[in-house]
């Protein structure tokens, strides 16, 4: 029913409405305020209120991880903002300062560690997983060595080297270290990823345990003409980047796995435990998240890890790169053009027309 705010000032204060034209969308105890009535804003609000409980995402920090709050190209602030708009709560956690992961955590995110972990920190993550916690692990060709024992616990092995994809040239990308993925698993996350995803400098991985309580599903598979280059890529030119038999690993390769596990012994909690391991973190960085379907994949992964399966298939419609950034010289040139050059040009044309007609 429509409620006229002019006749219900108490309700306006109760809903914390701050300005004219503000809309409040609520479902149960969840509320979202909408000021911009665009399709994207309304969709985000509906998704947010559909989460019947707070979904806290805990990002581990302290080892050079990418941050969902910082705006540098390497970091994940664009992705973090999209997650918050869709109802997720974000918390940073340093395991040296806090030895326990909050009990209300929907998923823990390890985003491309760059430094060694303490043994005690790794034990906290391993215990969290043993207790049924969900995890997103974004790795890199060099950073996976910091969490070797965690990979062993999960039954995952990282293939040495960096994945090379000659197909990147089809999109005008000269660097073959950019891997194009179009082959996704028959899984809600894969189905929700509608187009190509791009992974700069990725590491391939494979499962090492055949008989395990975990179920392994390769989510991201490269094309057959790709390979993992063991030797340093920086020391070679594009023309010398060839597959070396006996050293490199031939494709197709897997860049991501989804792990699921149900603890039949725990009758109190029969929910499915979920872990996603991706061999790249750049695809969600501020630099590359707007490319292809990278954002769709990132949002789909978090909805799946949080157990909101019904939200995975909702398409992500947003414009990431919607700002025009100009240098000081470019701004000065445009300003002079509109304030001085264009008016002088129009006045000159007017004067010439006046002079020409007068002469006749």
């Amino acid at each position: 029913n429509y409620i006229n705010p002019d006749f219900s000032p108490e309700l306006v204060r109760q809903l914390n409405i701050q300005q004219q034209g503000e809309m409040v969308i609520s479902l149960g105890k969840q509320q979202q305020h909408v000021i911009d009535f665009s399709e994207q804003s309304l969709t985000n609000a509906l998704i947010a209120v559909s989460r019947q409980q707070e979904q806290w995402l805990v990002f581990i920090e302290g080892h050079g991880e990418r941050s969902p709050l910082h705006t540098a190209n390497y970091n994940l602030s664009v992705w973090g903002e999209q997650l918050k708009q869709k109802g997720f709560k974000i918390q940073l956690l340093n395991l040296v300062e806090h030895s326990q992961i909050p009990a209300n955590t929907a998923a823990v995110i390890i985003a491309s560690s760059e430094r060694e972990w303490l043994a005690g920190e790794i034990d906290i993550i391993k215990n969290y997983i043993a207790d049924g916690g969900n995890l997103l692990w974004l790795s890199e060709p060099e950073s996976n060595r910091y969490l070797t024992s965690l990979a062993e616990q999960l039954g995952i092995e990282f293939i040495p080297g960096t994945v090379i994809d000659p197909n990147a040239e089809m999109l005008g990308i000269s660097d073959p270290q950019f891997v194009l993925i179009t082959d996704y698993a028959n899984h809600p996350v894969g189905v929700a990823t509608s187009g190509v995803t791009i992974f700069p400098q990725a590491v391939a991985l494979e499962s090492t345990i055949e008989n395990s309580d975990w179920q392994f599903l390769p989510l991201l598979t490269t094309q057959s003409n790709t390979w993992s280059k063991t030797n340093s890529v920086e020391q070679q030119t594009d023309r010398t980047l060839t597959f070396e038999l006996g050293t490199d690993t031939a494709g197709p390769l897997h860049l991501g796995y989804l792990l699921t596990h149900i603890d039949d012994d725990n009758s109190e909690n029969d929910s499915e435990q979920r872990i996603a391991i991706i061999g790249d973190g750049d695809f969600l960085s501020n630099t590359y998240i707007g490319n292809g379907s990278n954002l769709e994949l990132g949002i789909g992964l978090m909805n799946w890890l949080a157990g909101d399966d019904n939200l995975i298939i909702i398409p992500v419609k947003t414009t990431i790169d919607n700002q025009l950034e100009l240098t000081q010289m470019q701004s000065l040139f445009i300003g002079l053009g509109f304030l001085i050059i264009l008016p002088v040009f129009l006045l000159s044309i007017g004067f010439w027309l006046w002079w020409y007609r007068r002469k006749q």
Side-chain angles (χ1 to χ4, degrees), residues 292-335:
S293 297
N294 288 13
L295 177 60
E296 287 183 352
L297 177 59
I299 298 297
L301 282 170
M302 296 319 304
N303 281 327
W304 178 72
L305 288 170
D308 291 326
D309 294 10
N310 57 325
L311 301 180
I312 298 176
I313 60 173
I314 298 178
V316 177
K317 295 182 179 180
T318 186
T319 302
I320 299 298
D321 192 10
N322 59 359
Q323 294 183 346
L324 177 63
E325 297 183 0
L326 301 175
T327 64
Q328 185 175 3
M329 183 60 67
Q330 290 171 333
S331 301
L332 179 62
F333 180 78
I334 293 175

Side-chain angles (χ1 to χ4, degrees), residues 2 14 75 135 170 186 189 195 197 209 211 216 268 288 291 303 313 345 356:
Y2 171 74
Q14 180 181 343
N75 287 310
L135 171 71
M170 294 188 301
N186 185 17
V189 176
T197 46
I209 301 178
N211 298 321
F216 296 82
E268 296 180 358
Y288 300 109
N291 293 342
N303 281 327
I313 60 173
F345 176 72
Y356 179 78

Side-chain angles (χ1 to χ4, degrees), residues 47-58:
I47 292 175
V49 299
S50 66
R51 303 186 193 277
Q52 291 305 298
Q53 59 182 358
E54 288 189 337
Q55 300 285 22
W56 281 95
L57 305 179
V58 173

Side-chain angles (χ1 to χ4, degrees), residues 222-265:
T222 67
Q223 299 185 46
S224 58
N225 61 340
T226 60
W227 71 93
S228 181
K229 190 69 177 174
T230 304
N231 296 329
S232 176
V233 177
E234 283 73 14
Q235 298 176 358
Q236 306 180 50
T237 64
D238 293 347
R239 295 182 179 180
T240 61
L241 277 174
T242 57
F243 177 77
E244 298 181 29
L245 186 63
T247 302
D248 298 338
T249 304
L253 303 166
H254 302 310
L255 297 191
Y257 269 90
L258 301 181
L259 283 64
T260 56
H261 172 252
I262 297 178
D263 188 0
D264 297 328
D265 297 331

Side-chain angles (χ1 to χ4, degrees), residues 57-333:
L57 305 179
V58 173
F59 285 76
I60 301 300
E61 63 175 357
H63 320 90
E65 287 86 0
R66 305 174 191 268
S67 171
L69 304 181
H70 298 162
T71 58
N73 292 339
Y74 170 85
N75 287 310
L76 311 171
S77 62
V78 174
W79 184 46
E81 184 60 32
Q82 288 293 319
L83 291 173
K84 287 190 287 186
Q85 289 180 11
K86 289 171 174 55
F88 287 104
K89 310 292 184 181
I90 290 178
Q91 177 182 352
L92 304 182
L93 186 68
N94 189 315
L95 296 177
V96 174
E97 300 173 356
H98 305 278
S99 60
Q100 287 187 337
I101 295 174
N104 62 343
T105 300
V108 166
I109 296 92
I110 302 175
S112 307
S113 301
E114 290 188 328
R115 293 192 293 272
E116 292 284 352
W117 284 53
L118 298 176
E121 294 178 294
I122 298 177
D123 288 339
I124 293 173
I125 297 296
K126 294 170 74 172
N127 292 335
Y128 165 77
I129 294 174
D131 291 337
N134 300 326
L135 171 71
L136 171 62
W137 181 6
L138 304 177
S139 188
E140 305 290 342
E142 297 297 329
S143 69
N144 56 76
R145 68 179 186 271
Y146 301 132
L147 293 169
T148 303
S149 62
L150 178 60
E152 292 174 352
Q153 178 190 15
L154 297 175
I156 288 292
E157 180 180 349
F158 292 92
I159 298 175
T162 303
V163 178
I164 301 299
D165 187 354
N167 306 292
E169 191 175 355
M170 294 188 301
L171 292 184
I173 302 174
S174 59
D175 189 351
Q177 295 179 94
F178 281 69
V179 184
L180 309 183
I181 297 293
T182 57
D183 185 3
Y184 307 99
N186 185 17
H187 182 274
V189 176
V191 173
T193 308
S194 59
V196 62
T197 46
I198 302 175
F199 298 83
Q201 296 185 339
V203 60
L205 48 151
E206 60 184 359
S207 61
T208 59
I209 301 178
E210 295 183 1
N211 298 321
S212 170
D213 293 335
W214 291 95
Q215 293 183 349
F216 296 82
L217 178 66
L219 175 65
L220 310 168
T221 303
T222 67
Q223 299 185 46
S224 58
N225 61 340
T226 60
W227 71 93
S228 181
K229 190 69 177 174
T230 304
N231 296 329
S232 176
V233 177
E234 283 73 14
Q235 298 176 358
Q236 306 180 50
T237 64
D238 293 347
R239 295 182 179 180
T240 61
L241 277 174
T242 57
F243 177 77
E244 298 181 29
L245 186 63
T247 302
D248 298 338
T249 304
L253 303 166
H254 302 310
L255 297 191
Y257 269 90
L258 301 181
L259 283 64
T260 56
H261 172 252
I262 297 178
D263 188 0
D264 297 328
D265 297 331
N266 188 351
S267 59
E268 296 180 358
N269 182 16
D270 59 353
S271 61
E272 185 179 63
Q273 183 181 5
R274 299 174 172 183
I275 292 178
I277 307 175
I278 310 295
D280 180 50
D282 289 303
F283 83 102
L284 289 177
S285 68
N286 296 334
T287 301
Y288 300 109
I289 193 170
N291 293 342
S293 297
N294 288 13
L295 177 60
E296 287 183 352
L297 177 59
I299 298 297
L301 282 170
M302 296 319 304
N303 281 327
W304 178 72
L305 288 170
D308 291 326
D309 294 10
N310 57 325
L311 301 180
I312 298 176
I313 60 173
I314 298 178
V316 177
K317 295 182 179 180
T318 186
T319 302
I320 299 298
D321 192 10
N322 59 359
Q323 294 183 346
L324 177 63
E325 297 183 0
L326 301 175
T327 64
Q328 185 175 3
M329 183 60 67
Q330 290 171 333
S331 301
L332 179 62
F333 180 78

